[in-house]
Amino acid sequence: MPPISVSAHAAVIAALLVPLALTAPVPASAAPPAPPSPATETATAAAGAAAGAEEARLDRAVPREILRRAGFDTVAPRFGGALDGARSYRDAERAVARHGAALWERAVDRAQGRGPARGDLSRDDDRPLYWARLAMTRELRQWEPGFTVAPERRARLLDRLERSSRGQDSMGFPGARGRGDDRVKRVVMTGFDPFTLDRDIRISNPSGATALALDGTWIRTADGPARIETAVFPVRWQDFADGSVERTLRARLPEADLFTTVSQGRPGRFDIERTNGAWRGGFPDNENISDTGTVPVSDPATQPQWTSSTLPHAAITAADTGRFAVHDNTAVTEIPAGGTTPVNRPDGPTEGSTARSGGGGNYLSNEIAYRATLLRDRLGLTIPGGHVHTPVLEFGAGNTTEITDPAFLANRRDIVAQVREIIRVSAGQG
């Protein structure tokens, strides 16, 4: 899952992070996931026609405060002005691409200390990006151009805005294989939006903050220098069913030496998740939509119940990466072959079992890990990759109203630094 947030939700986290597991990889000859079908595109267009629960939260006080205190409160109005100046659909496409990419670049620059801070909110905060993007999507939905824009074309603009403002279409490594730069390791890392916002609208997601802090950065590993490229994903079932993970990573994984999907997990600990399950557990997403059933992928006839992490688990857990304990999590929940009742397995799945929860649960963090590792296997790649769950990002004791505090800032800073160290250790294994 991008697991559930804040210490007050620890009981819910424990209930929802029922483990799941893994089995044999798909043969290299299996076809990679296909683009969305016409039926999926039609459903996406219909979904894009009206605002949902995510955008509705924009009118609450906390999002407005976050945007103002980060200096991001002018982003959406400027974007709306650019849309109003469009005289054709092509003009609108250019405005969407330009402003979406600029939002991502601004958030990355802010997190990495470049340019003016424009506000008193900590520079490493992921929340301004999240709320500014939603404000931009609302501008785009409400836009009334002087020319006709069919619903499916507006949906394409919304999709372009999503991808560009999440770094999904700007991931890329300098140089090329076989041209003297083979000593440079290439690392792909993904994070998530904040979620469970109806429980606490103030929530930040440390995986998203880490993506901003590490995008385009270089680290020195035991095996030489490495370059990290990142992107952020939404907490929405439909986007994953539409193939957003595969569309983003299909061209990147063949270039990479290592990948890790990252999300927020359990309180007080990191988990390196060994096994990912092909099951959606139905916990509501950021649109308050639930989905239960087998993870929908292309070519379901070759779909495994389990996929496996190939991260260097022993090296990661043995290293001193930071103040939080790091666990090698091998547990899953399965329905054994011939059975009907889910069973917890501390050491992974048994042969022929059906997935009910991976080590990381059965929410979207399990699913992104499942999809990324399945894509790796279907492309015939042998690179290390898997999922890292961070600790829950907690506010200081007694803080139930303020959007930040010293403990919150220290926790996020330490989590981001420890993810970076986990990546450094992983990339240095040769």
Side-chain angles (χ1 to χ4, degrees):
M1 315 188 289
I4 304 175
S5 320
V6 219
S7 58
H9 308 138
V12 181
I13 297 170
L16 288 169
L17 281 175
V18 194
L20 248 165
L22 157 86
T23 200
V26 175
S29 59
S37 67
T40 297
E41 290 181 343
T42 300
T44 303
E54 277 196 289
E55 287 179 25
R57 298 185 188 103
L58 277 165
D59 297 321
R60 297 171 65 179
V62 165
R64 294 198 300 270
E65 180 183 358
I66 288 170
L67 290 171
R68 176 182 58 79
R69 291 181 60 180
F72 277 51
D73 51 344
T74 60
V75 168
R78 288 176 179 170
F79 176 56
L83 288 175
D84 289 341
R87 296 294 174 261
S88 67
Y89 184 78
R90 180 59 182 150
D91 285 347
E93 284 184 314
R94 284 192 286 263
V96 166
R98 183 172 68 253
H99 284 262
L103 175 61
W104 174 255
E105 291 166 7
R106 179 173 171 180
V108 169
D109 286 346
R110 191 174 193 276
Q112 297 181 18
R114 293 186 291 270
R118 294 192 179 96
D120 66 349
L121 201 63
S122 174
R123 294 185 72 119
D124 61 353
D125 204 309
D126 62 305
R127 295 172 296 179
L129 171 65
Y130 175 72
W131 293 112
R133 180 192 304 113
L134 283 176
M136 290 174 71
T137 62
R138 182 157 70 179
E139 290 283 349
L140 184 50
R141 290 186 206 276
Q142 295 177 350
W143 172 52
E144 296 181 358
F147 50 92
T148 300
V149 177
E152 61 272 15
R153 301 195 87 189
R154 190 182 297 258
R156 284 199 290 272
L157 293 176
L158 286 162
D159 179 69
R160 182 67 181 273
L161 177 59
E162 281 281 322
R163 288 176 54 74
S164 61
S165 65
R166 294 179 176 281
Q168 293 178 0
D169 60 3
S170 60
M171 301 176 81
F173 297 101
R177 294 291 187 203
R179 296 186 181 180
D181 66 342
D182 290 2
R183 291 172 297 176
V184 175
K185 293 288 188 77
R186 295 162 168 83
V187 179
V188 168
M189 177 253 162
T190 67
F192 272 105
D193 286 347
F195 67 112
T196 63
L197 293 155
D198 290 333
R199 295 180 175 181
D200 190 339
I201 194 71
R202 304 172 299 157
I203 283 172
S204 163
N205 194 322
S207 69
T210 303
L212 294 176
L214 298 187
D215 187 50
T217 62
W218 294 79
I219 58 174
R220 183 160 296 280
T221 79
D223 197 40
R227 164 86 172 209
I228 304 172
E229 289 291 323
T230 74
V232 172
F233 283 86
V235 182
R236 296 190 297 253
W237 294 112
Q238 188 61 52
D239 292 70
F240 279 50
D242 289 344
S244 65
V245 174
E246 292 82 359
R247 183 168 53 161
T248 301
L249 299 183
R250 184 180 291 114
R252 299 285 77 83
L253 294 192
E255 300 175 338
D257 298 287
L258 170 78
F259 70 90
T260 179
T261 53
V262 182
S263 66
Q264 180 176 246
R266 302 163 178 84
R269 59 184 274 182
F270 276 85
D271 285 281
I272 312 302
E273 308 294 359
R274 283 288 193 105
T275 304
N276 319 297
W279 185 254
R280 292 180 156 189
F283 188 78
D285 64 10
N286 274 350
E287 287 290 354
N288 293 333
I289 292 171
S290 299
D291 196 342
T292 303
T294 302
V295 170
V297 298
S298 68
D299 195 10
T302 67
Q303 178 180 8
Q305 284 294 302
W306 311 99
T307 65
S308 194
S309 171
T310 49
L311 291 173
H313 312 91
I316 294 170
T317 55
D320 181 11
T321 56
R323 71 177 171 100
F324 295 101
V326 182
H327 295 260
D328 180 5
N329 185 25
T330 60
V332 301
T333 301
E334 67 176 16
I335 297 177
T340 58
T341 304
V343 176
N344 295 336
R345 300 289 190 193
D347 298 320
T350 58
E351 185 175 356
S353 65
T354 301
R356 281 301 176 267
S357 184
N362 50 28
Y363 196 36
L364 286 162
S365 62
N366 168 76
E367 184 160 329
I368 197 171
Y370 178 84
R371 289 178 178 277
T373 49
L374 178 61
L375 179 62
R376 173 203 63 198
D377 297 341
R378 286 182 163 181
L379 292 173
L381 304 174
T382 58
I383 59 173
H387 194 75
V388 174
H389 262 133
T390 76
V392 173
L393 179 54
E394 299 176 298
F395 288 97
N399 177 9
T400 60
T401 59
E402 299 302 314
I403 65 171
T404 189
D405 62 48
F408 178 76
L409 296 178
N411 287 335
R412 184 168 57 206
R413 181 176 61 249
D414 290 350
I415 291 170
V416 169
Q418 196 160 350
V419 174
R420 183 181 183 275
E421 281 301 293
I422 288 171
I423 291 174
R424 185 188 64 78
V425 170
S426 301
Q429 292 305 296

